[in-house]
Amino acid sequence: MDTRVIQLLMELRKQGISDTRVLAALERVPREQFVAEQFLKHAYDNIALPITQGQTISQPYVVAYMTEALQLGDRMKVLEIGTGCGYQAAVLACVATEVYSIERLRGLHDKARDNLRSLRLANLHLLFGDGMAGYAKGAPYAGIIAAAGGDAVPQAWIEQLAVGGRIIAPTVMPDGAQALVVLEKTAREMKQSVLEPVHFVPLKSGIA
Ligand code: SAH
């Protein structure tokens, strides 16, 4: 294996990622397939990198942390909002039974399809559309992950979440800073907790 991958996995463990399925997924998905040519030498650095259309490929630590935070059991369905280059979607497809990933920018949706082709992840479904509305046809989901941050979690996501499921979404806090929020659906209520501060691109409505 590429020593850079081994290094990265060691770093993620040091940063507290312990779910072996998540670590195995990051080992399996070649991040170099998702970054632009000029950033290839940084493909396994633990940093976010620019992709096209002003968007970013998330930091490996953040991808691992959010995937772990879903606390997926076996046979679980997941929805991702913001496919971008498709890296997080590929990681999710290694740990979930079925993954639906929506992107609102046509150019990126097409790019993700190209990036992912050789991985042959038959359980990963790429969708073009506005993820603010979720994807009702695939619901209910055991987990919903957003790769873009808004002021509040859209009601549609809450409706499409299974009881016992979790939403992990970057959300703007009252102080204006973004943090990762976890929403857990119980039979009676939504329980919210705030994890770490993050910097995601904004969640936007409509397609382009
Ligand atoms: N998941 C990516 C990160 C993508 S960046 C990774 O693996 O690295 C976030 C993406 O969210 C951008 O491509 C942006 O276009 C998209 N996005 C923002 N608002 C959206 C919406 N309402 N529906 C779908 N995608 C959205």
Side-chain angles (χ1 to χ4, degrees):
M1 202 202 312
D2 193 327
T3 53
R4 297 179 304 166
V5 180
I6 297 172
Q7 278 272 312
L8 176 61
L9 291 171
M10 273 171 45
E11 197 175 321
L12 295 177
R13 276 200 203 90
K14 236 186 266 165
Q15 287 180 294
I17 306 297
S18 60
D19 187 327
T20 50
R21 289 192 315 155
V22 173
L23 290 164
L26 272 103
E27 182 178 331
R28 185 173 157 205
V29 179
R31 194 166 181 255
E32 72 214 36
Q33 254 171 254
F34 299 85
V35 305
E37 183 129 31
Q38 69 267 37
F39 297 114
L40 271 181
K41 62 174 183 297
H42 298 295
Y44 294 98
D45 291 358
N46 197 6
I47 51 173
L49 292 168
I51 50 175
T52 49
Q53 300 192 246
Q55 308 302 321
T56 49
I57 174 169
S58 302
Q59 182 191 7
Y61 169 69
V62 171
V63 169
Y65 184 79
M66 289 176 78
T67 309
E68 187 170 76
L70 281 177
Q71 298 183 2
L72 292 175
D74 292 330
R75 308 204 58 75
M76 296 291 198
K77 223 172 3 167
V78 173
L79 173 68
E80 180 193 28
I81 291 90
T83 314
C85 61
Y87 178 66
Q88 166 88 74
V91 168
L92 286 170
C94 294
V95 298
T97 341
E98 220 65 56
V99 177
Y100 295 87
S101 180
I102 312 184
E103 173 58 53
R104 66 178 285 276
L105 298 175
R106 170 66 79 179
L108 277 176
H109 167 75
D110 292 343
K111 185 87 178 87
R113 195 171 289 290
D114 284 349
N115 290 344
L116 287 158
R117 189 163 292 122
S118 67
L119 295 180
R120 297 174 182 280
L121 299 163
N123 62 334
L124 171 55
H125 314 285
L126 298 183
L127 308 158
F128 171 60
D130 182 355
M132 296 270 246
Y135 182 63
K137 281 192 199 147
Y141 301 101
I144 298 179
I145 270 193
D151 293 332
V153 168
Q155 192 58 33
W157 302 358
I158 293 171
E159 280 160 17
Q160 291 170 25
L161 189 68
V163 171
R166 304 180 120 218
I167 296 175
I168 317 289
T171 307
V172 180
M173 298 284 105
D175 67 0
Q178 223 185 41
L180 267 189
V181 164
V182 181
L183 290 173
E184 284 181 76
K185 194 176 200 169
T186 72
R188 276 172 293 115
E189 56 171 358
M190 294 299 296
K191 281 199 282 193
Q192 176 175 319
S193 43
V194 179
L195 305 174
E196 23 193 289
V198 282
H199 301 282
F200 277 88
V201 296
L203 183 71
K204 293 190 177 159
S205 52
I207 52 172

